[in-house]
Amino acid sequence: MTPEVVHERFAQYLKDQDLDGLGSLFDEDAMFVPGPGQEPVYGREGIKEALKPYLASPGTFEMGAASVHQNGDLAMVQVPWRITSEDGTLEGKSVEVMKRTTGGDWVYIIENPYGV
């Protein structure tokens, strides 16, 4: 598995409105920045709460090509994304840190979807 697979799973879980699936992509002690100027959220359960608004407004989620810099079991990733819905378009460039688990999967340890 590669870090890019996490993005594929994120897009699928978002499309399926699968909050538990989204949560599974984060380390138990991960950090998530919900938006510009907002305080980070820590821990998988807190992150799942912060992700609920993304599920509330159905739309099309697209990700661009990721820039991945891997060093052993850590990866720094940047990826552009866009959500298009009836309410308009929301877009950003995510800055992420992932780690490889002992099982070989990758999970977010820091996720900053707006790159701020």
Side-chain angles (χ1 to χ4, degrees):
M1 184 171 148
T2 65
E4 291 90 347
V5 171
V6 175
H7 297 131
E8 294 169 14
R9 289 180 180 175
F10 190 97
Q12 188 62 50
Y13 292 146
L14 193 62
K15 179 181 176 186
D16 295 343
Q17 296 186 325
D18 182 350
L19 189 59
D20 289 328
L22 288 169
S24 74
L25 301 175
F26 291 84
D27 183 74
E28 187 64 41
D29 299 316
M31 181 188 88
F32 176 76
V33 180
Q38 295 182 18
E39 291 296 317
V41 176
Y42 296 90
R44 184 178 293 142
E45 291 306 312
I47 292 169
K48 285 170 55 177
E49 284 298 314
L51 289 172
K52 281 183 178 179
Y54 290 90
L55 302 179
S57 65
T60 303
F61 181 72
E62 303 169 78
M63 289 183 147
S67 169
V68 179
H69 301 279
Q70 186 177 336
N71 184 0
D73 290 337
L74 295 175
M76 181 179 68
V77 182
Q78 273 191 315
V79 62
W81 57 268
R82 176 182 301 139
I83 299 174
T84 305
S85 69
E86 293 177 358
D87 298 332
T89 300
L90 183 64
E91 57 189 346
K93 190 171 201 175
S94 186
V95 176
E96 309 160 352
V97 177
M98 295 182 191
K99 74 174 183 179
R100 186 179 4 229
T101 67
T102 55
D105 288 334
W106 287 86
V107 292
Y108 295 111
I109 56 174
I110 299 173
E111 163 67 311
N112 187 344
Y114 296 93
V116 295

